[in-house]
Amino acid sequence: LGRMKPVIVVHGGAGRIFKEREEGCRAGTVRAALQGYGVLKRGGSAVDAVEEAVRSMEDDPHFNAGCGSVLNEKGEVEMDAIIMDGKKLDSGAVSAVKCIENPIKLARLVMEKTKHMLLTDQGAHLFAQAMGIPEIPGEKLITKRSRERWKKNLEPDSNPEEFQKDLGTVGAVAIDSEGNVACATSTGGLSNKLIGRVGDTACIGSGGYADNHSGATSTTGHGESIMKVVLARLILYHMEQGMSPEVAADTALDYMKTRVGGLGGVIVVNNTGEWAARFSTKQMSWATVKDDELHYGIYAGEEHVKSLGDALASEGL
């Protein structure tokens, strides 16, 4: 069997990235891609690689996932995450989880240690305990920035919708040397959301989808719009009809915009290792490594290229 060349693509969220946060977002996305690619180069699976990349971004306070997640109406962090393996369409997800550092790890355990695909809130909490995942105080996930934004959104004349443009769901897709694909997505959701609100991230086919027959995708953007068009699955459908990852992504994003007025972004890899990072928002931080070359950007049309060696050196890895 001809070995596949491994590929990883990551995103740090679509929306509006404020100038002072740009460097941090770019660096965090690049770091996640390099770490995920490292897993693939060591012979790790696509599932291992996407989990590692997303964990890296959950731990980075620049992103709305894990530490740095936005707060719900009560000022708490409630997180959603999904992981999917393209081999047999196995998937695991958690929604509205609190007081754990890495929801993506819990999602992976749901996939591998239960007969279910999605555990929520209290049930997810009990499962995390049973799996020995340490509980941390909710405050540990809250950054000064999230707290300030929450307060601002509580003011009577505030428009939380304005702030939603700065989203920051994180995700990764990969193909490994065996030709298996996988996706992972994780988020803190919408700022000042209702308690118990779950968006697209934890929903299979919306927040992500992976199928060895076609490819894998992870989405970001306005969750309710993404759910209405089942965006991740829609992109794979277009690829099954023969579209390239880029055309499939643009076609699906365009449909979401015209049909329901929703904006977002996606990363895609197909089963031959072609990739795309596309968005209809102002910005989306993304990075990919293929053929030992790093590509990354934030603005439409922006693409920086570095050799893997240079990139790792500047990361001190």
Side-chain angles (χ1 to χ4, degrees):
L1 268 177
R3 307 273 286 173
M4 275 299 303
K5 280 185 177 161
V7 182
I8 187 153
V9 195
V10 306
H11 70 73
R16 178 185 57 193
I17 297 165
F18 296 107
K19 268 277 178 264
E20 74 273 9
R21 303 180 58 73
E22 215 175 271
E23 271 323 292
C25 284
R26 204 178 254 130
T29 315
V30 164
R31 190 177 311 121
L34 292 172
Q35 287 178 342
Y37 192 67
V39 171
L40 295 170
K41 286 296 264 193
R42 293 192 294 275
S45 68
V47 173
D48 290 337
V50 294
E51 180 189 8
E52 176 56 27
V54 165
R55 185 206 53 75
S56 160
M57 291 186 284
E58 284 177 342
D59 291 344
D60 185 328
H62 281 93
F63 303 108
N64 174 17
C67 176
S69 288
V70 297
L71 311 187
N72 66 13
E73 56 178 356
K74 237 177 81 180
E76 300 174 329
V77 166
E78 286 188 317
M79 302 166 291
D80 306 331
I82 193 168
I83 194 164
M84 186 166 183
D85 181 345
K87 205 184 300 181
K88 290 188 182 155
L89 307 186
D90 293 322
S91 180
V94 292
S95 66
V97 295
K98 303 182 186 78
C99 303
I100 62 165
E101 265 175 311
N102 297 113
I104 200 63
K105 286 186 178 173
L106 190 57
R108 170 113 190 229
L109 288 168
V110 170
M111 174 169 81
E112 293 182 346
K113 306 283 185 205
T114 78
K115 292 193 171 78
H116 307 310
M117 287 173 93
L118 172 59
L119 291 181
T120 195
D121 197 358
Q122 200 51 34
H125 174 73
L126 292 170
F127 176 65
Q129 280 180 329
M131 289 289 120
I133 289 191
E135 197 176 324
I136 59 162
E139 291 74 65
K140 282 202 110 159
L141 297 170
I142 298 177
T143 58
K144 190 161 154 269
R145 174 170 174 266
S146 295
R147 176 72 70 197
E148 279 167 4
R149 172 195 290 191
W150 173 72
K151 283 205 182 108
K152 214 174 179 149
N153 284 343
L154 289 178
E155 291 164 11
D157 59 347
S158 85
N159 174 12
E161 290 300 305
E162 237 335 274
F163 288 89
Q164 303 311 359
K165 296 192 174 67
D166 172 25
L167 291 162
T169 297
V170 305
V173 295
I175 186 165
D176 60 31
S177 55
E178 307 285 309
N180 294 310
V181 299
C183 71
T185 312
S186 179
T187 191
L190 290 179
S191 190
N192 297 63
K193 62 189 179 180
L194 294 181
I195 290 165
R197 179 265 187 187
V198 176
D200 65 296
T201 299
C203 300
I204 191 171
S206 292
Y209 202 82
D211 181 349
N212 281 5
H213 293 164
S214 45
T217 182
S218 167
T219 67
T220 165
H222 184 246
E224 281 72 13
S225 298
I226 290 171
M227 291 159 95
K228 287 175 184 177
V229 302
V230 198
L231 186 63
R233 191 65 191 81
L234 181 60
I235 292 166
L236 291 193
Y237 166 78
H238 286 318
M239 294 203 303
E240 287 156 7
Q241 304 301 304
M243 288 185 190
S244 70
E246 190 163 304
V247 175
D250 286 347
T251 305
L253 283 169
D254 191 50
Y255 175 72
M256 183 167 81
K257 193 172 173 179
T258 52
R259 186 69 179 86
V260 298
L263 301 179
V266 299
I267 50 172
V268 191
V269 66
N270 71 8
N271 59 3
T272 63
E274 292 180 283
W275 62 273
R278 310 293 292 170
F279 47 100
S280 52
T281 50
K282 274 208 169 68
Q283 291 142 293
M284 177 178 82
S285 61
W286 63 272
T288 183
V289 189
K290 179 181 179 174
D291 290 333
D292 289 342
E293 208 171 54
L294 166 77
H295 298 242
Y296 61 98
I298 285 187
Y299 293 94
E302 173 194 4
E303 188 169 329
H304 304 281
V305 185
K306 266 187 187 175
S307 77
L308 186 62
D310 288 353
L312 290 171
S314 60
E315 281 295 313
L317 293 174

